[in-house]
Amino acid sequence: MKNKKLFALFLCAALVFGLLASGCSPEKNSQESPPAEQDSLEPPAETSDSAGTAAALGSLKTFAAGTLDGGTFTQEDIAAKDVTVINFWSTTCGPCIAEMPDLAEFSNALPDNVQVVTVCLDGAWDPESAEAVLNEAAFEGVTLITGEGDLLDVCNNIRYTPTTVFVDSEGSLVGDAIISRQEDLSGTFLAAVNTVLKESGKAEISLEA
């Protein structure tokens, strides 16, 4: 039964996407076949909601996920860090692949209390391609390819890739979701991480030299 639940994120991959200039736009397809490429759409305009846009995607308080290397990842792994940066991407999204080396560099420069995790939305169908992208980018963090619970709900709410969210130790998504490739990924993501730390009453960080 647990395996059937873990298979649920396969359905989430039916949201996955094609290539666009600033990001990729998923639309729901058949739950029995891999995702097809979709027409390009622009990300939505920024909202003025002071609570941030990420909370509308859900939370990560209760979930279980399977990793690309065959391991497991749960809310306990979120609770073990002050901030978890989660990047949603696919192997068919050009901007996702293009920013992966920058994401890897950012991840490697973080202190121990902050982690970067990626969710490859089509990784369950094509783990070899997902692994090739990550290896080429030298990304050494955790990549999720299956899951259930709150993670599935968040995946179902993702409309554009790459999308990156910032999660506190309680599993709440804090601040704005960052959509599309960032020219200054490290600077943009560091500011978002420090926002989460500040709102949690914890010291801000800087990147290691």
Side-chain angles (χ1 to χ4, degrees):
M1 184 68 181
K2 184 176 180 180
N3 288 337
K4 290 182 179 179
K5 289 184 177 180
L6 289 177
F7 183 74
L9 193 56
F10 281 82
L11 307 184
C12 174
L15 297 170
V16 195
F17 359 102
L19 192 65
L20 32 102
S22 61
C24 305
S25 169
E27 293 182 7
K28 293 182 180 179
N29 300 307
S30 168
Q31 294 182 347
E32 298 178 355
S33 60
E37 289 192 343
Q38 303 295 328
D39 293 335
S40 298
L41 293 175
E42 290 299 321
E46 292 291 333
T47 147
S48 60
D49 184 357
S50 61
T53 61
L57 298 174
S59 67
L60 291 171
K61 297 180 182 296
T62 305
F63 73 94
T67 66
L68 184 61
D69 62 3
T72 59
F73 190 90
T74 72
Q75 67 272 11
E76 293 182 3
D77 296 290
I78 297 286
K81 302 291 183 178
D82 291 334
V83 183
T84 299
V85 181
I86 303 184
N87 175 264
F88 295 85
W89 67 288
S90 89
T91 63
T92 61
C93 172
C96 301
I97 295 170
E99 80 169 3
M100 194 61 69
D102 293 337
L103 186 67
E105 182 178 359
F106 174 72
S107 177
N108 290 338
L110 290 170
D112 290 340
N113 63 319
V114 181
Q115 65 182 336
V116 174
V117 173
T118 83
V119 178
C120 184
L121 294 171
D122 60 351
W125 276 308
D126 193 358
E128 293 82 7
S129 292
E131 186 172 5
V133 170
L134 295 166
N135 287 342
E136 179 68 21
F139 180 77
E140 300 175 353
V142 173
T143 292
L144 312 181
I145 60 171
T146 66
E148 53 89 19
D150 288 346
L151 178 61
L152 181 60
D153 293 337
V154 172
C155 286
N156 283 331
N157 288 327
I158 295 294
R159 292 292 176 264
Y160 302 90
T161 56
T163 289
T164 302
V165 298
F166 302 83
V167 188
D168 66 18
S169 60
E170 296 181 354
S172 298
L173 277 59
V174 180
D176 289 333
I178 296 177
I179 299 171
S180 79
R181 184 183 181 189
Q182 303 299 302
E183 291 187 6
D184 179 15
L185 184 147
S186 289
T188 301
F189 285 14
L190 178 62
V193 166
N194 280 330
T195 293
V196 180
L197 290 169
K198 184 177 180 179
E199 292 190 6
S200 301
K202 296 175 181 176
E204 297 183 9
I205 64 167
S206 60
L207 299 181
E208 298 177 359

Short mmCIF file of all heavy atoms in Angstrom, two decimals, residues 7-79:
data_model
loop_
_atom_site.label_atom_id
_atom_site.label_comp_id
_atom_site.label_asym_id
_atom_site.label_seq_id
_atom_site.Cartn_x
_atom_site.Cartn_y
_atom_site.Cartn_z
N PHE A 7 3.72 6.03 -5.36
CA PHE A 7 3.53 6.16 -6.80
C PHE A 7 2.74 7.42 -7.15
O PHE A 7 2.73 7.87 -8.30
CB PHE A 7 2.79 4.93 -7.33
CG PHE A 7 2.61 4.93 -8.83
CD1 PHE A 7 3.67 4.64 -9.66
CD2 PHE A 7 1.37 5.20 -9.39
CE1 PHE A 7 3.50 4.63 -11.03
CE2 PHE A 7 1.19 5.19 -10.76
CZ PHE A 7 2.27 4.89 -11.59
N ALA A 8 2.15 8.03 -6.13
CA ALA A 8 1.26 9.16 -6.40
C ALA A 8 1.97 10.30 -7.11
O ALA A 8 1.36 11.00 -7.92
CB ALA A 8 0.65 9.67 -5.10
N LEU A 9 3.26 10.52 -6.83
CA LEU A 9 3.94 11.63 -7.47
C LEU A 9 4.12 11.38 -8.96
O LEU A 9 4.35 12.30 -9.73
CB LEU A 9 5.28 11.93 -6.81
CG LEU A 9 5.93 13.27 -7.20
CD1 LEU A 9 4.98 14.43 -6.94
CD2 LEU A 9 7.23 13.46 -6.53
N PHE A 10 4.03 10.10 -9.39
CA PHE A 10 4.03 9.85 -10.83
C PHE A 10 2.89 10.63 -11.48
O PHE A 10 3.02 11.13 -12.59
CB PHE A 10 3.82 8.35 -11.10
CG PHE A 10 5.05 7.52 -10.90
CD1 PHE A 10 5.42 7.09 -9.64
CD2 PHE A 10 5.83 7.16 -11.98
CE1 PHE A 10 6.53 6.31 -9.46
CE2 PHE A 10 6.96 6.38 -11.79
CZ PHE A 10 7.31 5.95 -10.54
N LEU A 11 1.75 10.69 -10.80
CA LEU A 11 0.61 11.40 -11.35
C LEU A 11 0.91 12.89 -11.41
O LEU A 11 0.46 13.59 -12.31
CB LEU A 11 -0.64 11.15 -10.49
CG LEU A 11 -0.98 9.68 -10.24
CD1 LEU A 11 -2.29 9.59 -9.47
CD2 LEU A 11 -1.08 8.92 -11.55
N CYS A 12 1.67 13.35 -10.44
CA CYS A 12 2.05 14.76 -10.43
C CYS A 12 2.86 15.10 -11.68
O CYS A 12 2.78 16.21 -12.20
CB CYS A 12 2.86 15.06 -9.17
SG CYS A 12 3.54 16.70 -9.12
N ALA A 13 3.65 14.14 -12.15
CA ALA A 13 4.47 14.41 -13.32
C ALA A 13 3.64 14.63 -14.56
O ALA A 13 4.14 15.11 -15.57
CB ALA A 13 5.45 13.25 -13.54
N ALA A 14 2.34 14.32 -14.50
CA ALA A 14 1.47 14.62 -15.62
C ALA A 14 1.28 16.12 -15.79
O ALA A 14 0.69 16.57 -16.76
CB ALA A 14 0.11 13.95 -15.41
N LEU A 15 1.80 16.90 -14.83
CA LEU A 15 1.75 18.35 -14.96
C LEU A 15 2.86 18.90 -15.86
O LEU A 15 2.91 20.08 -16.11
CB LEU A 15 1.90 18.99 -13.57
CG LEU A 15 0.82 18.70 -12.56
CD1 LEU A 15 1.26 19.21 -11.21
CD2 LEU A 15 -0.48 19.31 -12.99
N VAL A 16 3.79 18.08 -16.26
CA VAL A 16 5.05 18.54 -16.81
C VAL A 16 4.97 18.77 -18.31
O VAL A 16 4.17 18.15 -18.95
CB VAL A 16 6.18 17.55 -16.48
CG1 VAL A 16 7.54 18.17 -16.71
CG2 VAL A 16 6.07 17.07 -15.05
N PHE A 17 5.83 19.48 -18.84
CA PHE A 17 5.98 20.74 -19.54
C PHE A 17 6.93 20.72 -20.70
O PHE A 17 7.67 19.80 -20.91
CB PHE A 17 6.57 21.83 -18.63
CG PHE A 17 6.82 21.37 -17.29
CD1 PHE A 17 8.06 21.05 -16.85
CD2 PHE A 17 5.73 21.20 -16.46
CE1 PHE A 17 8.25 20.63 -15.57
CE2 PHE A 17 5.94 20.76 -15.20
CZ PHE A 17 7.19 20.49 -14.76
N GLY A 18 6.89 21.87 -21.39
CA GLY A 18 7.79 22.11 -22.51
C GLY A 18 8.68 23.31 -22.26
O GLY A 18 8.70 23.85 -21.19
N LEU A 19 9.40 23.67 -23.28
CA LEU A 19 10.42 24.69 -23.17
C LEU A 19 9.84 26.07 -23.38
O LEU A 19 9.03 26.26 -24.25
CB LEU A 19 11.46 24.39 -24.24
CG LEU A 19 12.78 25.12 -24.19
CD1 LEU A 19 13.55 24.74 -22.94
CD2 LEU A 19 13.57 24.77 -25.42
N LEU A 20 10.27 27.04 -22.56
CA LEU A 20 9.97 28.42 -22.91
C LEU A 20 11.10 29.34 -22.55
O LEU A 20 12.06 28.94 -21.93
CB LEU A 20 8.68 28.94 -22.28
CG LEU A 20 8.16 28.51 -20.96
CD1 LEU A 20 8.36 29.41 -19.81
CD2 LEU A 20 6.67 28.50 -21.23
N ALA A 21 10.98 30.57 -23.01
CA ALA A 21 12.10 31.49 -22.87
C ALA A 21 12.38 31.81 -21.42
O ALA A 21 13.52 31.86 -21.00
CB ALA A 21 11.82 32.78 -23.65
N SER A 22 11.33 32.04 -20.62
CA SER A 22 11.55 32.43 -19.23
C SER A 22 11.18 31.34 -18.25
O SER A 22 11.43 31.48 -17.07
CB SER A 22 10.71 33.68 -18.92
OG SER A 22 9.35 33.39 -19.10
N GLY A 23 10.64 30.27 -18.69
CA GLY A 23 10.23 29.17 -17.83
C GLY A 23 9.37 28.22 -18.62
O GLY A 23 9.15 28.42 -19.80
N CYS A 24 8.89 27.16 -17.96
CA CYS A 24 8.08 26.16 -18.63
C CYS A 24 6.74 26.07 -17.94
O CYS A 24 6.66 26.17 -16.73
CB CYS A 24 8.77 24.80 -18.59
SG CYS A 24 10.43 24.85 -19.27
N SER A 25 5.70 25.86 -18.72
CA SER A 25 4.34 25.86 -18.18
C SER A 25 3.73 24.49 -18.26
O SER A 25 3.50 23.98 -19.35
CB SER A 25 3.46 26.85 -18.96
OG SER A 25 2.11 26.68 -18.61
N PRO A 26 3.48 23.81 -17.10
CA PRO A 26 2.86 22.50 -17.14
C PRO A 26 1.36 22.59 -17.27
O PRO A 26 0.73 23.51 -16.77
CB PRO A 26 3.24 21.89 -15.79
CG PRO A 26 3.35 23.06 -14.89
CD PRO A 26 3.82 24.22 -15.74
N GLU A 27 0.74 21.62 -17.94
CA GLU A 27 -0.69 21.46 -17.96
C GLU A 27 -0.99 19.99 -17.75
O GLU A 27 -0.20 19.13 -18.09
CB GLU A 27 -1.28 21.92 -19.30
CG GLU A 27 -1.16 23.42 -19.52
CD GLU A 27 -1.80 23.84 -20.82
OE1 GLU A 27 -2.44 22.99 -21.45
OE2 GLU A 27 -1.65 25.00 -21.20
N LYS A 28 -2.17 19.68 -17.20
CA LYS A 28 -2.48 18.30 -16.88
C LYS A 28 -2.74 17.49 -18.13
O LYS A 28 -3.47 17.89 -19.01
CB LYS A 28 -3.70 18.25 -15.95
CG LYS A 28 -3.40 18.84 -14.58
CD LYS A 28 -4.58 18.73 -13.65
CE LYS A 28 -4.24 19.35 -12.30
NZ LYS A 28 -5.38 19.29 -11.38
N ASN A 29 -2.14 16.30 -18.19
CA ASN A 29 -2.32 15.38 -19.29
C ASN A 29 -2.84 14.06 -18.74
O ASN A 29 -3.24 13.94 -17.61
CB ASN A 29 -0.97 15.15 -20.00
CG ASN A 29 -0.41 16.44 -20.55
OD1 ASN A 29 -1.09 17.15 -21.28
ND2 ASN A 29 0.82 16.75 -20.18
N SER A 30 -2.78 13.00 -19.57
CA SER A 30 -3.20 11.68 -19.12
C SER A 30 -2.35 11.22 -17.96
O SER A 30 -1.14 11.42 -17.93
CB SER A 30 -3.06 10.68 -20.28
OG SER A 30 -3.19 9.36 -19.80
N GLN A 31 -2.94 10.56 -16.99
CA GLN A 31 -2.21 10.05 -15.85
C GLN A 31 -1.48 8.76 -16.19
O GLN A 31 -0.75 8.24 -15.36
CB GLN A 31 -3.17 9.81 -14.69
CG GLN A 31 -3.79 11.10 -14.16
CD GLN A 31 -4.70 10.86 -13.00
OE1 GLN A 31 -5.09 9.73 -12.70
NE2 GLN A 31 -5.08 11.91 -12.30
N GLU A 32 -1.64 8.24 -17.38
CA GLU A 32 -1.04 6.96 -17.73
C GLU A 32 0.13 7.10 -18.69
O GLU A 32 0.73 6.10 -19.08
CB GLU A 32 -2.11 6.05 -18.35
CG GLU A 32 -3.24 5.75 -17.38
CD GLU A 32 -4.31 4.90 -18.03
OE1 GLU A 32 -4.20 4.63 -19.24
OE2 GLU A 32 -5.24 4.48 -17.31
N SER A 33 0.45 8.29 -19.13
CA SER A 33 1.51 8.46 -20.10
C SER A 33 2.42 9.60 -19.68
O SER A 33 2.02 10.49 -18.95
CB SER A 33 0.92 8.76 -21.48
OG SER A 33 0.15 9.94 -21.44
N PRO A 34 3.69 9.61 -20.18
CA PRO A 34 4.60 10.69 -19.85
C PRO A 34 4.09 12.02 -20.36
O PRO A 34 3.26 12.08 -21.27
CB PRO A 34 5.90 10.28 -20.58
CG PRO A 34 5.77 8.81 -20.75
CD PRO A 34 4.31 8.57 -20.97
N PRO A 35 4.58 13.12 -19.78
CA PRO A 35 4.09 14.45 -20.15
C PRO A 35 4.49 14.83 -21.56
O PRO A 35 5.57 14.50 -22.03
CB PRO A 35 4.75 15.37 -19.13
CG PRO A 35 5.95 14.62 -18.68
CD PRO A 35 5.58 13.17 -18.74
N ALA A 36 3.62 15.56 -22.23
CA ALA A 36 3.92 16.08 -23.55
C ALA A 36 4.30 17.55 -23.43
O ALA A 36 3.97 18.22 -22.47
CB ALA A 36 2.70 15.94 -24.46
N GLU A 37 5.01 18.06 -24.44
CA GLU A 37 5.38 19.47 -24.42
C GLU A 37 4.15 20.35 -24.57
O GLU A 37 3.23 20.04 -25.30
CB GLU A 37 6.38 19.77 -25.53
CG GLU A 37 7.74 19.16 -25.28
CD GLU A 37 8.78 19.70 -26.22
OE1 GLU A 37 8.42 20.28 -27.24
OE2 GLU A 37 9.96 19.53 -25.91
N GLN A 38 4.16 21.48 -23.88
CA GLN A 38 3.03 22.39 -23.90
C GLN A 38 3.45 23.73 -24.48
O GLN A 38 4.63 24.05 -24.56
CB GLN A 38 2.49 22.59 -22.47
CG GLN A 38 2.08 21.30 -21.79
CD GLN A 38 0.91 20.64 -22.48
OE1 GLN A 38 0.06 21.30 -23.04
NE2 GLN A 38 0.89 19.33 -22.44
N ASP A 39 2.46 24.51 -24.89
CA ASP A 39 2.74 25.84 -25.41
C ASP A 39 3.29 26.73 -24.31
O ASP A 39 3.00 26.56 -23.13
CB ASP A 39 1.46 26.48 -25.97
CG ASP A 39 0.98 25.74 -27.20
OD1 ASP A 39 1.82 25.11 -27.86
OD2 ASP A 39 -0.24 25.79 -27.48
N SER A 40 4.07 27.73 -24.71
CA SER A 40 4.69 28.65 -23.76
C SER A 40 3.66 29.60 -23.18
O SER A 40 2.77 30.08 -23.86
CB SER A 40 5.78 29.46 -24.45
OG SER A 40 6.80 28.60 -24.92
N LEU A 41 3.80 29.87 -21.89
CA LEU A 41 2.98 30.86 -21.20
C LEU A 41 3.89 31.69 -20.31
O LEU A 41 4.93 31.22 -19.86
CB LEU A 41 1.91 30.18 -20.33
CG LEU A 41 0.81 29.40 -21.06
CD1 LEU A 41 -0.06 28.71 -20.04
CD2 LEU A 41 -0.03 30.33 -21.91
N GLU A 42 3.51 32.91 -20.07
CA GLU A 42 4.29 33.76 -19.19
C GLU A 42 3.91 33.50 -17.74
O GLU A 42 2.75 33.24 -17.43
CB GLU A 42 4.05 35.24 -19.53
CG GLU A 42 4.65 35.65 -20.87
CD GLU A 42 6.15 35.48 -20.90
OE1 GLU A 42 6.81 35.76 -19.88
OE2 GLU A 42 6.67 35.04 -21.94
N PRO A 43 4.86 33.59 -16.81
CA PRO A 43 4.53 33.47 -15.39
C PRO A 43 3.56 34.56 -14.97
O PRO A 43 3.51 35.63 -15.58
CB PRO A 43 5.89 33.64 -14.69
CG PRO A 43 6.90 33.31 -15.75
CD PRO A 43 6.28 33.76 -17.04
N PRO A 44 2.79 34.31 -13.90
CA PRO A 44 1.82 35.31 -13.45
C PRO A 44 2.50 36.53 -12.88
O PRO A 44 3.64 36.48 -12.45
CB PRO A 44 1.04 34.56 -12.36
CG PRO A 44 1.99 33.52 -11.87
CD PRO A 44 2.79 33.12 -13.07
N ALA A 45 1.78 37.63 -12.87
CA ALA A 45 2.33 38.87 -12.31
C ALA A 45 2.53 38.72 -10.81
O ALA A 45 1.89 37.91 -10.15
CB ALA A 45 1.36 40.03 -12.59
N GLU A 46 3.46 39.52 -10.29
CA GLU A 46 3.73 39.47 -8.85
C GLU A 46 2.50 39.91 -8.07
O GLU A 46 1.76 40.80 -8.47
CB GLU A 46 4.91 40.38 -8.52
CG GLU A 46 6.24 39.89 -9.08
CD GLU A 46 6.73 38.64 -8.39
OE1 GLU A 46 6.37 38.43 -7.21
OE2 GLU A 46 7.46 37.87 -9.01
N THR A 47 2.27 39.31 -6.93
CA THR A 47 1.17 39.73 -6.08
C THR A 47 1.69 40.61 -4.97
O THR A 47 2.84 40.52 -4.58
CB THR A 47 0.45 38.51 -5.47
OG1 THR A 47 -0.04 38.86 -4.19
CG2 THR A 47 1.30 37.33 -5.36
N SER A 48 0.82 41.46 -4.45
CA SER A 48 1.21 42.38 -3.38
C SER A 48 0.93 41.80 -2.00
O SER A 48 1.12 42.45 -1.00
CB SER A 48 0.47 43.71 -3.54
OG SER A 48 -0.93 43.49 -3.47
N ASP A 49 0.47 40.55 -1.95
CA ASP A 49 0.15 39.91 -0.68
C ASP A 49 1.38 39.86 0.21
O ASP A 49 2.39 39.24 -0.13
CB ASP A 49 -0.38 38.49 -0.95
CG ASP A 49 -0.83 37.80 0.33
OD1 ASP A 49 -0.70 38.39 1.43
OD2 ASP A 49 -1.31 36.67 0.22
N SER A 50 1.32 40.51 1.35
CA SER A 50 2.48 40.59 2.23
C SER A 50 2.87 39.23 2.80
O SER A 50 3.99 39.04 3.25
CB SER A 50 2.21 41.58 3.37
OG SER A 50 1.09 41.15 4.14
N ALA A 51 1.95 38.28 2.79
CA ALA A 51 2.26 36.95 3.30
C ALA A 51 3.10 36.15 2.33
O ALA A 51 3.66 35.12 2.68
CB ALA A 51 0.96 36.20 3.61
N GLY A 52 3.21 36.61 1.08
CA GLY A 52 3.99 35.90 0.09
C GLY A 52 3.13 34.97 -0.73
O GLY A 52 2.04 34.54 -0.32
N THR A 53 3.65 34.62 -1.90
CA THR A 53 2.88 33.79 -2.84
C THR A 53 3.03 32.30 -2.58
O THR A 53 2.20 31.51 -3.01
CB THR A 53 3.33 34.09 -4.27
OG1 THR A 53 4.74 33.76 -4.41
CG2 THR A 53 3.13 35.55 -4.62
N ALA A 54 4.10 31.90 -1.91
CA ALA A 54 4.38 30.47 -1.77
C ALA A 54 3.34 29.73 -0.93
O ALA A 54 3.04 28.56 -1.20
CB ALA A 54 5.77 30.25 -1.18
N ALA A 55 2.79 30.39 0.07
CA ALA A 55 1.83 29.73 0.96
C ALA A 55 0.62 29.22 0.21
O ALA A 55 -0.01 28.23 0.63
CB ALA A 55 1.40 30.69 2.07
N ALA A 56 0.30 29.85 -0.92
CA ALA A 56 -0.86 29.41 -1.71
C ALA A 56 -0.62 28.04 -2.34
O ALA A 56 -1.58 27.36 -2.74
CB ALA A 56 -1.17 30.43 -2.79
N LEU A 57 0.61 27.61 -2.43
CA LEU A 57 0.93 26.30 -3.00
C LEU A 57 0.70 25.16 -2.02
O LEU A 57 0.62 24.00 -2.43
CB LEU A 57 2.40 26.28 -3.48
CG LEU A 57 2.77 27.26 -4.59
CD1 LEU A 57 4.27 27.21 -4.84
CD2 LEU A 57 1.99 26.97 -5.86
N GLY A 58 0.60 25.48 -0.73
CA GLY A 58 0.38 24.45 0.29
C GLY A 58 1.44 24.50 1.37
O GLY A 58 2.02 25.55 1.65
N SER A 59 1.72 23.33 1.96
CA SER A 59 2.75 23.22 2.99
C SER A 59 3.39 21.84 2.87
O SER A 59 2.94 21.00 2.09
CB SER A 59 2.15 23.41 4.38
OG SER A 59 1.29 22.32 4.70
N LEU A 60 4.43 21.62 3.65
CA LEU A 60 5.12 20.32 3.65
C LEU A 60 5.26 19.81 5.08
O LEU A 60 6.35 19.49 5.54
CB LEU A 60 6.49 20.46 2.96
CG LEU A 60 6.42 20.73 1.46
CD1 LEU A 60 7.79 21.07 0.91
CD2 LEU A 60 5.85 19.53 0.72
N LYS A 61 4.14 19.71 5.74
CA LYS A 61 4.14 19.28 7.14
C LYS A 61 4.02 17.77 7.29
O LYS A 61 4.45 17.20 8.30
CB LYS A 61 2.98 19.97 7.88
CG LYS A 61 3.13 21.50 7.93
CD LYS A 61 1.99 22.15 8.67
CE LYS A 61 2.11 23.66 8.67
NZ LYS A 61 3.30 24.15 9.38
N THR A 62 3.41 17.10 6.31
CA THR A 62 3.25 15.64 6.37
C THR A 62 3.40 15.06 4.97
O THR A 62 2.53 15.27 4.12
CB THR A 62 1.87 15.25 6.92
OG1 THR A 62 1.67 15.87 8.20
CG2 THR A 62 1.77 13.74 7.08
N PHE A 63 4.49 14.36 4.72
CA PHE A 63 4.70 13.75 3.41
C PHE A 63 5.80 12.71 3.48
O PHE A 63 6.56 12.65 4.45
CB PHE A 63 5.07 14.82 2.36
CG PHE A 63 6.47 15.37 2.52
CD1 PHE A 63 7.53 14.83 1.81
CD2 PHE A 63 6.73 16.41 3.39
CE1 PHE A 63 8.82 15.32 1.96
CE2 PHE A 63 8.01 16.92 3.56
CZ PHE A 63 9.07 16.36 2.83
N ALA A 64 5.86 11.89 2.46
CA ALA A 64 6.97 10.95 2.27
C ALA A 64 7.32 10.95 0.80
O ALA A 64 6.44 11.06 -0.06
CB ALA A 64 6.59 9.54 2.73
N ALA A 65 8.60 10.85 0.49
CA ALA A 65 9.05 10.91 -0.90
C ALA A 65 10.17 9.93 -1.14
O ALA A 65 10.93 9.58 -0.23
CB ALA A 65 9.50 12.33 -1.24
N GLY A 66 10.28 9.49 -2.38
CA GLY A 66 11.39 8.66 -2.81
C GLY A 66 12.41 9.51 -3.56
O GLY A 66 12.04 10.42 -4.32
N THR A 67 13.68 9.26 -3.33
CA THR A 67 14.75 10.05 -3.95
C THR A 67 15.29 9.35 -5.19
O THR A 67 15.10 8.14 -5.39
CB THR A 67 15.89 10.29 -2.96
OG1 THR A 67 16.53 9.03 -2.66
CG2 THR A 67 15.37 10.91 -1.67
N LEU A 68 15.97 10.11 -6.01
CA LEU A 68 16.54 9.59 -7.24
C LEU A 68 17.52 8.45 -6.98
O LEU A 68 17.63 7.53 -7.78
CB LEU A 68 17.23 10.72 -8.01
CG LEU A 68 17.82 10.40 -9.38
CD1 LEU A 68 16.73 9.92 -10.35
CD2 LEU A 68 18.54 11.61 -9.95
N ASP A 69 18.20 8.49 -5.84
CA ASP A 69 19.18 7.45 -5.53
C ASP A 69 18.58 6.29 -4.72
O ASP A 69 19.30 5.46 -4.19
CB ASP A 69 20.38 8.03 -4.80
CG ASP A 69 20.02 8.66 -3.45
OD1 ASP A 69 18.84 8.60 -3.06
OD2 ASP A 69 20.93 9.21 -2.80
N GLY A 70 17.24 6.25 -4.62
CA GLY A 70 16.59 5.12 -3.96
C GLY A 70 16.33 5.30 -2.48
O GLY A 70 15.86 4.37 -1.82
N GLY A 71 16.60 6.46 -1.94
CA GLY A 71 16.37 6.72 -0.52
C GLY A 71 14.98 7.27 -0.25
O GLY A 71 14.10 7.26 -1.13
N THR A 72 14.78 7.75 0.96
CA THR A 72 13.51 8.36 1.34
C THR A 72 13.76 9.74 1.93
O THR A 72 14.85 10.01 2.47
CB THR A 72 12.74 7.51 2.37
OG1 THR A 72 13.56 7.33 3.54
CG2 THR A 72 12.38 6.15 1.79
N PHE A 73 12.75 10.60 1.84
CA PHE A 73 12.84 11.97 2.36
C PHE A 73 11.47 12.32 2.89
O PHE A 73 10.46 12.13 2.20
CB PHE A 73 13.25 12.91 1.22
CG PHE A 73 13.61 14.31 1.67
CD1 PHE A 73 14.91 14.63 2.02
CD2 PHE A 73 12.65 15.31 1.71
CE1 PHE A 73 15.25 15.92 2.42
CE2 PHE A 73 12.96 16.60 2.11
CZ PHE A 73 14.28 16.90 2.46
N THR A 74 11.42 12.83 4.13
CA THR A 74 10.13 13.12 4.77
C THR A 74 10.18 14.49 5.45
O THR A 74 11.20 15.19 5.40
CB THR A 74 9.78 12.06 5.83
OG1 THR A 74 10.65 12.23 6.97
CG2 THR A 74 9.92 10.64 5.28
N GLN A 75 9.07 14.80 6.13
CA GLN A 75 9.02 16.06 6.88
C GLN A 75 10.08 16.10 7.99
O GLN A 75 10.48 17.19 8.42
CB GLN A 75 7.63 16.29 7.48
CG GLN A 75 7.21 15.33 8.56
CD GLN A 75 6.55 14.07 8.02
OE1 GLN A 75 6.57 13.81 6.81
NE2 GLN A 75 5.94 13.30 8.92
N GLU A 76 10.56 14.95 8.43
CA GLU A 76 11.62 14.95 9.44
C GLU A 76 12.92 15.53 8.88
O GLU A 76 13.69 16.16 9.62
CB GLU A 76 11.85 13.52 9.94
CG GLU A 76 10.67 12.96 10.72
CD GLU A 76 10.92 11.56 11.25
OE1 GLU A 76 12.05 11.05 11.06
OE2 GLU A 76 10.01 10.99 11.85
N ASP A 77 13.16 15.34 7.59
CA ASP A 77 14.35 15.93 6.96
C ASP A 77 14.19 17.43 6.80
O ASP A 77 15.18 18.17 6.83
CB ASP A 77 14.60 15.27 5.60
CG ASP A 77 14.91 13.78 5.73
OD1 ASP A 77 16.00 13.46 6.23
OD2 ASP A 77 14.05 12.96 5.37
N ILE A 78 12.95 17.90 6.63
CA ILE A 78 12.68 19.34 6.61
C ILE A 78 12.93 19.92 8.01
O ILE A 78 13.55 20.97 8.17
CB ILE A 78 11.23 19.60 6.17
CG1 ILE A 78 10.99 19.13 4.74
CG2 ILE A 78 10.87 21.08 6.36
CD1 ILE A 78 11.58 19.99 3.68
N ALA A 79 12.43 19.21 9.03
CA ALA A 79 12.55 19.70 10.41
C ALA A 79 14.00 19.77 10.88
O ALA A 79 14.32 20.53 11.81
CB ALA A 79 11.73 18.80 11.34
#
